[in-house]
Amino acid sequence: MKSVTGTRALVRLALRLDRVRLTVWIVGLAVMPMGTAANYVKLYPTQADLDAVSGVLANPSLVALSGPLFAKSIGALTTWKIGATEFILVALMSLLTVVRHTRTEEETGRLELIGATVVGRRAPLTAALIVAGIANLAIAALAALGLMATGLPVAGSVAFGLATALVGILFAAVAATTAQLTRSGRAASGIASAVLAGAYLLRAVGDTGPTWLTWLSPLGWALHLRPYADERWSVAGLFVGFMVLFAAAGYALVARRDMGAGLLPERLGPAEAAPSLRSPLALAWRLHRGLLLGWLVALLLTGAVMGGAAAGVADLKSPNQQLTDILTRMGGSAGLTDAFLAAIFGIIGMTAAAYTIQATLRLRQEETGGHAEVLLATPVGRLGWAASHLVFALLGTALLLAAAGVTGGLAYGAQVHDIGGQFGRVLGAALVQLPATWVLAGLGVALIGLAPRLGTVAWAGLIVSALLFELGALFGLSQWVVDLSPFAHVPKLPGSAFAATPVVWLIVVAVALGAAGLVGLRRRDIPTA
């Protein structure tokens, strides 16, 4: 018991530090299912409407995107539409929370100071898991109550809330393990996020192909708990078993390593830097290359899987008009396949924007870690230092989108036996997302330069942008509200004609935000706590 001494105090501290961040996560994730269900009640008022759309959603391409539809009901349709998004977001919230209060605190040295008091070795990890658990249970309870308030069955609503909480707590346990493996909080989050990305791809492939792959994915388990469709409560046992496994691994590993160290072996560098490392850009490459290469592999696979799945959209028979409206709103009006491709690459663009923000916020991490101060004591200027990192945020994102476009174009072209005709169209659909990601990079630079303590708000910008773009129309929000998302202004290629004006304006906004941030960075003190 001594190893968890001080847990209560650390829980209170973590809740105080995250009171705004977690409140936003909880409210947003609790409202999304309720809003989706309420709007589907209006869109599909009769059983005939539900029967029509249910037949369309059995298409393999749509199953790969969001999973199978298990019943012809508003509840099942709500789970199909919002379930995968809800589970991914709650997993991200959980893994980031656990890493932030364990490995990141250790990396900055604050955990060592706390450990010098009457605090047990396992108390920080225990506190982080408790905080993540509280947030997940709050989301589950509020989401279930909200779904019941729309008139949906109690059992299905509880099952949806339970699935959400189980996914979140499982990925909190995954993060408890990855936080012990490396010295960097960013790397720990990256490994846990890679597990999440792999879970999504396994589910997408398994739901349309070898079904056993679905049962290797926690996201597949959550959907196959089957809210509103003869709930399979026994699936929860899979979550509990793996939660215990990963949490136990985290507790075992935290006692087997030194404070500040990770279990993965680190290669010692040479005593003197090579000539190729004697510039800010070369140093930035060493810092960013692991993250960039990991994202590159993930986007290559995602583009190939989703590009291959797009060919099946052409087999849709008598599509429901509301579904057609939703797809064309997301992806243009030149046919469902083009609309599907545009929607898919819109999602890939928002996914790549997560790398953009990670790479941009590396500036702030270097500052708070004390590394920037050392570097700037040399002849390196502030703008040169900032530019060395922003090169990888901006051009690295371009590389990721191009990679997804290349594999997506090859996969889709091979499926329709027209690689030459489709490759360029699909690649263009990927690259046109780039200016919107740069707006978020500009937001991150502006926050770092003008309000450095609020730098992580850039993540909120991405989440809000994604929710407005994906769900704004479904929720019936005014167009000017949806237009607050930079992704709402991206031309819907390949289904619509390319329009240069919105692209130019997105670049102008990105440049303006970035310039304001760089001016602020030149003028303020470094470091700023």
Side-chain angles (χ1 to χ4, degrees), residues 203-296:
R203 189 227 36 94
V205 175
D207 282 341
T208 57
T211 55
W212 61 270
L213 288 175
T214 299
W215 293 99
L216 298 179
S217 167
L219 300 181
W221 305 343
L223 292 174
H224 282 269
L225 203 149
R226 297 179 62 155
Y228 306 104
D230 296 326
E231 294 79 10
R232 295 180 177 177
W233 303 103
S234 60
V235 175
L238 286 171
F239 284 99
V240 173
F242 279 90
M243 285 176 200
V244 173
L245 177 64
F246 281 109
Y251 278 111
L253 295 176
V254 75
R256 293 176 177 269
R257 63 176 180 82
D258 294 332
M259 177 69 72
L263 292 173
L264 293 179
E266 296 185 26
R267 186 178 63 182
L268 296 178
E272 296 184 2
S276 60
L277 197 57
R278 293 176 183 173
S279 71
L281 185 62
L283 176 59
W285 162 245
R286 289 290 294 271
L287 295 174
H288 286 273
R289 65 183 181 183
L291 180 68
L292 179 58
L293 293 175
W295 273 97
L296 183 60

Side-chain angles (χ1 to χ4, degrees), residues 167-374:
V167 170
I169 295 173
L170 175 58
F171 276 92
V174 170
T177 299
T178 63
Q180 316 310 320
L181 300 179
T182 124
R183 295 181 62 180
S184 164
R186 190 165 56 94
S189 297
I191 295 171
S193 298
V195 175
L196 176 59
Y200 180 81
L201 289 176
L202 283 172
R203 189 227 36 94
V205 175
D207 282 341
T208 57
T211 55
W212 61 270
L213 288 175
T214 299
W215 293 99
L216 298 179
S217 167
L219 300 181
W221 305 343
L223 292 174
H224 282 269
L225 203 149
R226 297 179 62 155
Y228 306 104
D230 296 326
E231 294 79 10
R232 295 180 177 177
W233 303 103
S234 60
V235 175
L238 286 171
F239 284 99
V240 173
F242 279 90
M243 285 176 200
V244 173
L245 177 64
F246 281 109
Y251 278 111
L253 295 176
V254 75
R256 293 176 177 269
R257 63 176 180 82
D258 294 332
M259 177 69 72
L263 292 173
L264 293 179
E266 296 185 26
R267 186 178 63 182
L268 296 178
E272 296 184 2
S276 60
L277 197 57
R278 293 176 183 173
S279 71
L281 185 62
L283 176 59
W285 162 245
R286 289 290 294 271
L287 295 174
H288 286 273
R289 65 183 181 183
L291 180 68
L292 179 58
L293 293 175
W295 273 97
L296 183 60
V297 172
L299 268 292
L300 284 168
L301 292 174
T302 302
V305 170
M306 291 305 174
V313 174
D315 298 329
L316 285 171
K317 304 295 184 182
S318 301
N320 176 274
Q321 186 58 45
Q322 284 90 349
L323 175 64
T324 303
D325 291 343
I326 291 172
L327 278 176
T328 54
R329 190 182 298 121
M330 295 173 66
S333 56
L336 283 179
T337 301
D338 283 349
F340 181 83
L341 283 169
I344 283 296
F345 281 100
I347 295 171
I348 289 176
M350 288 181 279
T351 303
Y355 163 80
T356 310
I357 293 175
Q358 279 186 296
T360 301
L361 294 185
R362 181 72 195 206
L363 281 169
R364 180 61 178 162
Q365 293 174 352
E366 290 293 293
E367 181 182 351
T368 56
H371 304 142
E373 190 174 11
V374 173

Side-chain angles (χ1 to χ4, degrees), residues 379-462:
V380 175
R382 294 190 182 196
L383 293 184
W385 165 67
S388 67
H389 289 278
L390 294 179
V391 163
F392 294 99
L394 302 179
L395 298 185
T397 306
L399 176 62
L400 296 180
L401 290 173
V406 167
T407 56
L410 290 174
Y412 175 63
Q415 288 282 340
V416 299
H417 308 291
D418 185 22
I419 292 178
Q422 300 300 328
F423 178 81
R425 299 175 72 241
V426 175
L427 180 59
L431 292 177
V432 79
Q433 309 295 327
L434 190 57
T437 68
W438 285 352
V439 170
L440 293 173
L443 174 63
V445 175
L447 290 169
I448 291 171
L450 302 175
R453 293 184 180 88
L454 300 178
T456 55
V457 172
W459 285 110
L462 172 59

Side-chain angles (χ1 to χ4, degrees), residues 8-23:
R8 179 181 298 181
L10 291 180
V11 169
R12 292 174 60 190
L13 175 62
L15 290 174
R16 179 175 177 80
L17 292 173
D18 285 358
R19 60 188 184 278
V20 175
R21 182 185 288 111
L22 285 181
T23 298

